[in-house]
């Protein structure tokens, strides 16, 4: 009936005084959260096994049927760099475009943008970073130079009435620089917003962030950009993604990026996990009474489908608990 | 905590106890560093006590039987990490007093906020179980032995589904009233989310001061750290966890169980909350036990760091 344990005499740890705890921040959440599903792009991009085009198309269709309002379909990047995305045009042309659902595609440069428009893209995404070293190592230029390169895209997008979403990488830490100042993140975010991005997704690229860092970063960014134009993109490399996302929600953010089945590893930490799993996010939001428009059952089916195709286990705990996989 | 009912069920039968590979372990109190002044976020405790349940809750839920010398080495490694409480179980029958006389100095009693759970697992109603616990706790207190109370199914039950706040509060209050110094509120099947955690704690905290409460969150649906964060924001500063996230869930095959101590410490460190625990040493202990039981860690921090 009882368990017994032996304890050596414990030093009385003076339970240090508690700071005044405000419970008001615990309970205020947006009524509705828009989930941006990045599995088909961010997820698949980081998976070792190349996925055939029809499988990608089916995945995206299943995600649309699950009710996700935004599904990032592909990336118009050179196949030389990202072979997984070589079929970008076929994918974008092949998917069913459900009314009311957006299908943004990544466009790393103007050439990619042109190809995306030719393939029917109505929304594109561009990438900046809050770290100079990260930008240098990845595209061999400074942050400012990288943003200038996007000027052409933004001008053309405006003329063609194509929406542009901005991403900021390394907002809570950089694999090369380490700590990143919230002021820097705010600066880059503000630039992207003033250039014409309707929404900026703040990415904890290597998942090192914790709720405190998320709060500090968002506080700085909120001085420059309205909360309605912000999204968070948390990686689960250190298991912190949902806690960080919760913090962002408490601060008024109502757009969250996630990846079905938690697809995608981390290129900076071998063996580590990557994206936050959409199923686990939906589970939390539903429990909080927050609307998402997503059918969890259909989402689980999409996750099971792609994991089977990739011959890998899901990273979603909800899926593990429900599908007995 | 998910397997607690099995353990309790087993311990009612003395014959079963003899047949099982029963091992008596010690809970070892490691040295605690004094609370440091550290930059920290308003709204969080300055210090959080981590109750390490890996050797008990964790290992018991693992299919592989772990040899005693491995368990001892595991506990020894954990005792070097700074963890102040490491739970190791000794299953006892109602004749537990001799065990206590043998040197055990703390007792835990496991209640549940669900009648069905209580009936299915210890074959008695909540009320009947409380009466038995009262005897145990009373005797323990006579011998100056502290008693910790656990409440299973605080956020949901595998049989009944939703559990009322009143029931959780009632059971917790009962255990506290009979003399348990701390009540660990367990999300046994990990179904809770921050909203349900908040409501449950608000209700329980009307009857029991936060300093006497702990949370024991299972990560079955990936909600553990988010739920723990919520509990911390509400003033709770004792958290149960298991190194490497050991232990599955007996109610959902293939599902994960306890929240990983490494991931918890990572979050607390990031928040500037003092724990007195050395994360690297915990990771080493986790690496050791995972190799010993031949399973991959459930800790994301470990996965990211050990190039698993």
């Amino acid at each position: 009936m009882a368990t017994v344990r032996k304890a050596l005499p414990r030093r009385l740890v003076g339970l240090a005084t508690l700071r005044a705890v405000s419970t008001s921040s615990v309970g205020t959440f947006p009524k509705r959260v828009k989930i941006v599903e990045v599995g088909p792009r961010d997820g698949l991009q980081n998976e070792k096994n190349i996925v055939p085009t029809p499988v990608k198309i089916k995945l995206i269709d299943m995600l649309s049927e699950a009710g996700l309002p935004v599904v990032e379909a592909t990336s118009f990047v050179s196949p030389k760099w990202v072979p997984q995305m070589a079929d970008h045009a076929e994918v974008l042309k092949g998917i069913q475009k459900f009314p009311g659902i957006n299908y943004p595609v990544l466009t790393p440069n103007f050439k990619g943008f042109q190809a995306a428009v030719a393939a029917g893209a109505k929304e594109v995404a561009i990438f900046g970073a809050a770290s100079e070293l990260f930008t240098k190592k990845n595209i061999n230029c400074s942050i400012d130079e990288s943003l200038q390169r996007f000027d052409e895209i933004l001008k053309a997008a405006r003329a063609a009435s194509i929406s542009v979403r901005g991403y900021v990488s390394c907002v809570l830490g950089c694999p090369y620089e380490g700590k990143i100042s919230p002021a820097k993140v705010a600066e880059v975010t503000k630039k992207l917003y003033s250039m014409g991005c309707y929404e900026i997704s703040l990415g904890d690229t290597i998942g090192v962030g914790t709720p405190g860092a998320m709060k500090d970063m968002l506080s700085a960014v909120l001085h420059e950009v309205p909360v309605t134009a912000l999204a968070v993109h948390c990686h689960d490399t250190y298991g912190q993604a949902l806690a960080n996302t919760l913090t962002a929600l408490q601060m008024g953010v109502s757009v969250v990026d996630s990846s079905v089945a938690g697809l995608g590893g981390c290129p900076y930490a071998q063996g580590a996990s990557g994206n936050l799993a959409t199923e686990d996010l939906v589970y939390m939001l539903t429990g909080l009474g927050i609307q998402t428009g997503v059918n969890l059952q259909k989402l689980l089916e999409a996750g099971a489908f792609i994991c089977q195709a990739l011959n890998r286990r899901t990273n979603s705990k909800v899926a593990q608990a429900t599908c007995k996989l | 905590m998910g397997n607690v009912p099995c353990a309790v069920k087993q311990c009612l039968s003395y014959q079963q106890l003899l047949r099982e590979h029963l091992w008596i372990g010690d809970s070892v109190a490691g040295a605690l560093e004094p609370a440091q002044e550290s930059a920290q976020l308003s709204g969080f405790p300055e210090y959080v006590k981590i109750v390490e349940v890996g050797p008990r809750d964790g290992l018991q839920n693992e299919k592989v039987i772990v040899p005693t010398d491995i368990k001892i080495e595991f506990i020894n490694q954990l005792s070097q990490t700074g963890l102040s409480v490491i739970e190791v179980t000794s299953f006892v029958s109602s004749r537990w007093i001799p065990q206590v006389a043998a040197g055990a100095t703390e007792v835990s009693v496991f209640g549940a906020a669900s009648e069905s759970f209580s009936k299915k697992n210890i074959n008695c109603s909540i009320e009947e179980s409380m009466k038995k616990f009262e005897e145990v706790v009373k005797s323990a207190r006579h011998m100056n032995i502290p008693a910790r109370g656990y409440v299973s199914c605080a956020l949901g039950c595998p049989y009944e589904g939703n559990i009322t706040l009143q029931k959780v509060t009632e059971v917790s209050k009962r255990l506290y009233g009979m003399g348990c110094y701390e009540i660990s509120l367990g999300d046994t099947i990990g179904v809770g989310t921050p909203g349900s955690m908040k409501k449950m704690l608000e209700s329980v905290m009307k009857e029991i001061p936060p300093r006497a409460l702990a949370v024991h969150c299972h990560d079955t649906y990936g909600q553990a750290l988010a739920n723990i964060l919520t509990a911390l924001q509400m003033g709770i500063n004792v958290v149960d966890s298991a190194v490497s996230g050991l232990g599955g869930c007996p109610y959902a095959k293939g599902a994960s169980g306890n929240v990983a101590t490494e991931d918890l410490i990572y979050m607390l460190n990031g928040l500037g909350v003092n724990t007195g625990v050395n994360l690297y040493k915990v990771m080493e202990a986790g690496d050791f036990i995972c190799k010993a039981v031949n399973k991959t860690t459930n800790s994301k921090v470990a996965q990211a760091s050990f190039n698993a």
Side-chain angles (χ1 to χ4, degrees), chain B residues 33-303:
Chain B
E33 287 161 24
Q36 292 151 23
E37 284 303 318
S38 51
Q40 97 202 162
L41 220 51
S42 61
F44 291 103
E46 275 177 28
Y47 171 81
V48 163
K49 176 176 85 174
I50 297 177
V51 175
E52 172 57 45
V53 302
R56 176 191 60 84
D57 196 353
L59 285 187
Q60 274 167 210
N61 268 313
E62 293 296 334
K63 286 184 224 128
V64 179
I65 304 284
V66 181
T68 308
D69 57 343
I70 302 273
K71 276 180 202 160
I72 289 172
E73 174 59 25
F74 179 43
I75 293 160
N76 283 341
Q77 287 198 23
L78 287 175
S79 68
Q80 312 283 339
T81 62
L83 284 160
S84 65
V85 185
I86 300 163
E87 258 206 3
V88 163
T89 236
S90 161
F91 296 135
V92 295
S93 69
S94 47
R95 281 176 268 170
W96 61 279
I97 292 167
Q99 247 92 350
V100 173
T105 56
E106 187 163 329
V107 164
S108 296
V109 291
F110 291 86
S114 153
E115 285 290 359
S116 312
F117 193 84
S118 195
K119 249 209 137 54
K120 292 238 180 200
N121 287 284
I122 54 176
N123 204 25
C124 58
S125 69
I126 295 177
E127 182 58 39
E128 287 163 349
S129 73
M130 289 295 134
K131 292 208 168 76
K132 296 184 188 185
F133 296 152
E134 260 165 25
E135 284 171 39
V136 171
V137 176
K138 201 161 140 200
S139 315
R141 294 191 73 204
H142 270 136
M143 290 183 244
N144 275 328
I145 294 169
R148 191 186 208 228
Y150 282 85
V151 180
S152 300
C153 299
L155 296 178
C157 169
Y159 310 108
E160 285 181 19
N162 253 338
I163 296 293
T164 67
L165 302 174
Q166 292 89 325
K167 201 69 192 176
V168 181
T169 306
E170 195 186 297
V171 173
S172 307
K173 190 178 177 187
R174 218 29 215 285
L175 289 169
Y176 186 62
M178 68 175 75
C180 293
Y181 76 94
E182 194 170 87
I183 311 299
S184 174
L185 302 163
D187 182 11
T188 307
I189 46 170
V191 288
T193 47
S196 60
M197 170 64 83
K198 179 179 182 236
K199 290 197 180 93
M200 186 274 292
L201 286 176
E202 273 171 349
S203 178
V204 174
M205 277 161 59
K206 287 196 178 106
E207 306 290 343
I208 302 175
R211 59 176 159 71
L213 293 173
V215 289
H216 185 118
C217 298
H218 274 206
D219 205 34
T220 323
Y221 294 87
Q223 309 296 304
L225 275 185
N227 291 341
I228 290 167
L229 184 71
T230 301
L232 295 175
Q233 285 175 323
M234 295 188 70
I236 303 299
N237 67 348
V238 183
V239 182
D240 299 358
S241 61
V243 77
S244 294
L246 285 179
C249 177
Y251 304 99
K253 198 177 125 155
S256 66
N258 286 292
V259 67
T261 303
E262 299 93 318
D263 300 1
L264 171 64
I265 294 172
Y266 186 94
M267 181 175 82
L268 294 174
N269 284 352
L271 282 166
V273 172
N274 190 18
T275 61
V277 183
N278 183 318
L279 175 56
Y280 294 113
K281 294 205 165 141
V282 171
M283 283 165 61
E284 278 170 3
D287 192 44
F288 166 78
I289 195 63
C290 284
K291 287 193 166 90
V293 302
N294 192 29
K295 71 160 281 179
T296 44
T297 180
N298 265 336
S299 155
K300 295 249 168 147
V301 171
Q303 279 170 37

Side-chain angles (χ1 to χ4, degrees), chain A residues 1-7 10-11 13 21 208 210 236-237 239-240 242 250 270 273 280 283-284 287-288 317, chain B residues 11 26-27 32 87 89 92 103-106 108 132 191 195 219-220 222-223 225 233 256 263 266-267 270 300:
Chain A
M1 181 74 68
T3 71
V4 171
R5 62 186 162 174
K6 180 174 177 175
R10 275 170 296 168
R11 254 178 262 152
V13 180
V21 170
V208 288
T210 47
D236 206 34
T237 322
Q240 310 295 306
L242 210 53
Q250 286 174 334
Q270 204 203 57
S273 66
D280 300 0
Y283 188 93
M284 181 176 82
L288 282 165
K317 295 246 168 151
Chain B
C11 78
D26 297 276
S27 160
L32 267 164
E87 258 206 3
T89 236
V92 295
T105 56
E106 187 163 329
S108 296
K132 296 184 188 185
V191 288
D219 205 34
T220 323
Q223 309 296 304
L225 275 185
Q233 285 175 323
S256 66
D263 300 1
Y266 186 94
M267 181 175 82
K300 295 249 168 147

